[in-house]
Amino acid sequence: MFSHQKYEKQYYLPPTLSYDWVKKETVEKAPTWCSVDLRDGNQALPIPMNLDEKLKMFQLLVDIGFKEIEVAFPAASETEFKLVRTLIDNNMIPDDVTIMVITQAREHIIRRTFEAIEGAPRAIVHLYNSTSEAQRRQVFKKSKEEIKQIAVNGAVLVKELAEQTEGNFYFQYSPESFPGTEVDYALDICNSVLDIWKPTPDHKAIINIPTTVEIAMPHVFASQIEYMHKNLVYRDAVTLSIHPHNDRGCGVSDAEFGVLAGADRVEGTLFGIGERTGNVDLITLAMNMYSQGYDPGLNFSNLDQIRTKYEELTRIKVHERQPYSGDLVFTAFSGSHQDAISKGMKYRKENKIEKWDVPYIPVDPADLGRNYQTDVIRINSQSGKGGIGYILETNYGIKLPYKMNEAMSYFAKNVSDQSNKELSAEEIYQVFKEQYVDFQPYFQLIDYEFHKGEKQEVTLTLLKDNQHVVIQGEGNGSLDAISNALKKHFDIDYALEVYEQQSLGTDSIADSCAQIGISLQGHMYWGAGIDEDILMASVYALVVAVNRLIAYQANEQE
C-alpha cells in the first residue's frame, strides 16, 4: 500500500551551533578528489570488472588527474587482492598518486589488507564500521560503547600492522551509515580513533563522512559536516572527507554543501556509478566548479572518449541527460532555445567575446571535445527557424534570409513530424534542396543568351510541359532582364524584394548560394540557386521562386 504514514524522520541534527557554510557562495578551491570507481563503483556493476579491465580503469583515472584512487577491498576476493599486488609489484603507481584500500574493522580482514599493500610507495588504509542507531539495534545488537570499541580496536591493529609492514601508510576512518547516527556520537567515535592514531600536520589522518544512504536534505548534511569540522580533535592534522550517495537525488548538493561546510576531500565516481542510485558524480562536481571559473584540478577535455572507455569497461550506459557527459546535454530541440543559442553564438563570434556567455549552454561544449555542428542544435518537429538556419549555416555555409529561414523551418518540421524522428544535418539539407533548389515543377531553364542594346536583352529557352519554349525580355541588368521575360511570359507582376548571396567556401572556385524572394499580393515566394557562377546561382534561384508562385496560384484555383 502506498502510504507515507509508515515513514518518519531517521536523521539527527547536531547540537546547536552557528553555521558559516550558508554565508558562502560557491566552491572556489578544488577539494582533494578520491575516485572510488575501482571499489565502490565496481561492486555495483552487474558484471564486475576483471583484472585487465581494472588496470585499464586505473590508468584512465590517472590520466584524468586523480591523485587518490581507492583500488580494492583486498580481503573481499582474489581478484581484488591481485589487483593491489599487480600495481605494487609492477611499479604501476605514479609517484604523485596514492592508492587506497578498504577494510572492515575486523582482525582477519585487516591482516589480509596489510598483506596486500606490503611495499606500497603510498597507500591509505581505509577502516570502517557501521555506527547508525538502526544497525546497532537491528544488525549488531550492540550498545554504543560496544560499537565504538570495534572502531578503537580496529584503529589499534591498523597502527600496529603499519609499523610492522614495509611501506608508506596513511589512515582513514569512516563511521559507515553516518546519516542515521547521532552526530555527537559519531564525533566521539572519530575522536577516539584519532586519539589512537595521533596524526600530525606532516602525516595527516582522514576522517571520512559517508552519506551511506541519503535520508535528509542537503542543508542537514552540511550542518552535520560543519559540526564535525569544528569539533574534531587534531583538526590541523586531519583531512575531513565526505562520501555522498544519491538516494534522494541530492548527492551533488550534499558534496558541494559539505565542502562549503569544511570538508577538504570528496570521494565519488565518474558518472555517479555506485550502489542503488549511485555515488556522487565527480565529473558533475568538477565541471560545476569549472563553469564558475575555478580550476577543478581534473581534466575532462576529452570527455566523450572518457565516457566511451568507461562504458566499455563497466558495461554501463551513461544516460543521455547525464550532466555534462550525456549525449543530449548540450542539445537544443526547442525552437526558442535554438534561436537564442544561434544568436548567442553569432554575437560571440562577431564581437570576439572571450568569456563564455551563450544562452542555455552553461559551458563551451568544445572544452569537453564536443562538436558545435552535431551536438548543440538538432532538429525535430519542436524545432524552429533559428535552429534550422544554424544547421544550414554551420554545416553548409548557407545563410538564409530571415523570412526564407522561417518558411524553410515549416518544411523541415513537417518532415520530422510526418516521419516521427529527428532530422540529421544531411536530411535538413535535402529538404532545403528539394524545396528551394530543385523545385521546378512548372518549368525549367535550359539556356539563356544576352544581347547588346540600349537595355540588357535576353533570350531564354525553357522546358515547359516537355516542350522547349523560347521567350525574350529586357531590363536594366542581367537578372532584371530575365525576371521581366518570365513576368511577360507567365503574365505575372511580382516584385523582386530580397536578393542575397554568399560564398560556400574560401577558395576562388567555391560555389555561391543565392537566395531570392519575390512578392505578389502580400505573399513571399522563395528560391535558391547554387553554382560556381554567382549570376547562374541567382538565375536558378529566381526560376525556383517563380515556380513557387505559379504553384501557389495553381493551388488557389483548385
Side-chain angles (χ1 to χ4, degrees), residues 267-405:
E267 295 185 353
T269 61
L270 301 179
F271 310 105
I273 303 299
E275 294 280 26
R276 304 180 309 280
T277 55
N279 290 52
V280 67
D281 178 9
L282 296 183
I283 295 173
T284 300
L285 286 174
M287 288 307 304
N288 283 355
M289 286 190 63
Y290 182 86
S291 70
Q292 299 299 307
Y294 300 103
D295 181 8
L298 298 174
N299 186 352
F300 295 113
S301 60
N302 59 340
L303 189 52
D304 271 2
Q305 296 176 36
I306 292 171
R307 185 186 68 188
T308 299
K309 189 69 174 178
Y310 200 89
E311 291 178 336
E312 173 191 325
L313 296 175
T314 64
R315 304 169 184 87
I316 292 289
K317 178 71 175 176
V318 174
H319 195 277
E320 293 173 334
R321 300 294 183 184
Q322 182 82 4
Y324 299 105
S325 51
D327 271 337
L328 296 179
V329 296
F330 296 115
T331 301
F333 290 105
S334 160
S336 61
H337 289 204
Q338 292 175 343
D339 185 59
I341 292 169
S342 178
K343 290 175 179 175
M345 297 287 280
K346 181 180 179 181
Y347 177 87
R348 175 178 172 79
K349 182 178 181 180
E350 291 177 347
N351 293 277
K352 297 181 174 60
I353 305 297
E354 292 187 9
K355 295 291 186 179
W356 184 258
D357 187 27
V358 175
Y360 296 110
I361 307 182
V363 297
D364 186 348
D367 289 356
L368 304 180
R370 301 294 283 268
N371 190 317
Y372 293 135
Q373 295 180 327
T374 57
D375 288 330
V376 176
I377 290 179
R378 288 160 60 175
I379 304 302
N380 62 16
S381 61
Q382 305 303 306
S383 304
K385 58 184 181 294
I388 290 166
Y390 178 86
I391 292 291
L392 289 173
E393 183 175 359
T394 304
N395 290 273
Y396 301 101
I398 299 169
K399 183 179 180 182
L400 300 182
Y402 181 82
K403 287 295 184 180
M404 185 180 185
N405 193 11

Side-chain angles (χ1 to χ4, degrees), residues 77 86 100 161 190 326 342 349 352 359 375 407 425 435 463 513 558:
S77 72
T86 300
M100 182 167 75
L161 292 178
C190 291
S342 178
K349 182 178 181 180
K352 297 181 174 60
D375 288 330
Q435 299 298 334
L463 179 63
C513 180
E558 291 180 357

